[in-house]
Amino acid sequence: MPQLSNDHKLEIEKVLTRSPLIPVITIDRLADAVPLCTALYEGGLGVLEITLRTEFGVAAIREVREALPDALVGAGSVTSIAQYREVELAGAQFVITPGVTEAVLEFGVTSEAPLLPGISTASELMMGHIHGYRHFKFFPAEVSGGVAALKALAGPFPDVQFCPTGGIQQHTAVDYLTLRNVAAVGGSWLTPSEKVAAKDWAAITEIARASLLDARQQG
Ligand code: 3PG
């Protein structure tokens, strides 16, 4: 069975330790990609997950990589190997999937960009664990048991670190960050759609800053 290399483990660890908060970004207008990501970056968020939930995801990754060379820019909501290849070509520095398939797990072992596979059960985690994965997205976090579920998973999987996402807010992020098996927390609360629609980039920077402050005080 193909195994994840130590280099891949270190790379994904680097993503999850650079920032305790990872914005989950959905681009509805391509022109928003660079100013939105710049606003988040200026608010202190150095890791940016741009999802493929709209047709602009891949182009946004390409543009943001060029505009913010010091940020870590990755792709989210990747569900197929074709998409994985496409985002790698666009320059994605990491790839996040909402769930796991055997094919994606195997592809992630040899891919250029390291994979953070999404799981919500012990069985899915075990599918990744046997390939050597030790870092997982826990999704959808809140409806899959939230903090209590992650505490329970620490028992059988003491060597695993999580990035929970799904339903987390600024005031609940801290509850996750206090867990020893949570490396970072992701969410779309950092990019409220009404602020993006209004191009209120200053407000986005402020939300990032305030959220980071909360996360660092408690985490
Ligand atoms: C994700 O893909 O990580 C989640 O959809 C983010 O969840 P949220 O929108 O509830 O923050």
Side-chain angles (χ1 to χ4, degrees):
M1 175 164 307
Q3 286 291 308
L4 198 68
S5 69
N6 265 334
D7 281 359
H8 265 65
K9 274 183 215 162
L10 289 174
E11 279 177 60
I12 207 71
E13 200 173 287
K14 207 166 77 186
V15 173
L16 296 183
T17 51
R18 168 134 174 210
S19 169
L21 301 178
I22 301 178
V24 177
I25 302 161
T26 297
I27 299 295
D28 290 316
R29 291 173 304 198
L30 186 55
D32 289 341
V34 170
L36 170 59
C37 288
T38 304
L40 292 163
Y41 187 71
E42 283 174 358
L45 301 175
V47 180
L48 306 164
E49 175 189 343
I50 300 178
T51 68
L52 298 195
R53 291 179 194 186
T54 65
E55 58 187 296
F56 307 116
V58 175
I61 290 167
R62 200 176 294 119
E63 289 191 7
V64 174
R65 275 284 277 138
E66 213 175 296
L68 298 172
D70 295 331
L72 275 174
V73 181
S77 305
V78 170
T79 57
S80 69
I81 289 171
Q83 288 180 332
Y84 203 134
R85 287 206 178 95
E86 209 184 350
V87 298
E88 277 190 322
L89 282 174
Q93 292 159 292
F94 61 90
V95 170
I96 304 184
T97 57
V100 287
T101 63
E102 197 50 45
V104 161
L105 287 169
E106 278 190 26
F107 190 81
V109 165
T110 52
S111 64
E112 185 79 16
L115 171 65
L116 184 70
I119 63 102
S120 64
T121 67
S123 302
E124 293 160 349
L125 194 160
M126 284 168 67
M127 282 176 66
H129 206 263
I130 53 175
H131 283 285
Y133 289 92
R134 294 294 181 268
H135 301 85
F136 295 89
K137 164 178 165 125
F138 181 61
F139 174 80
E142 283 285 287
V143 296
S144 303
V147 166
L150 285 166
K151 273 187 191 162
L153 286 168
F157 304 106
D159 56 347
V160 167
Q161 288 287 303
F162 295 96
C163 175
T165 74
I168 302 176
Q169 302 296 326
Q170 179 175 342
H171 66 282
T172 53
V174 296
D175 301 338
Y176 287 91
L177 287 165
T178 53
L179 300 181
R180 65 178 166 78
N181 60 349
V182 169
V185 163
S188 62
W189 87 86
L190 293 153
T191 57
S193 46
E194 70 283 1
K195 302 284 184 224
V196 177
K199 298 187 200 295
D200 192 348
W201 311 129
I204 303 262
T205 297
E206 200 34 56
I207 292 165
R209 228 175 243 143
S211 297
L212 265 181
L213 206 64
D214 282 355
R216 294 214 164 105
Q217 273 164 6
Q218 310 286 326

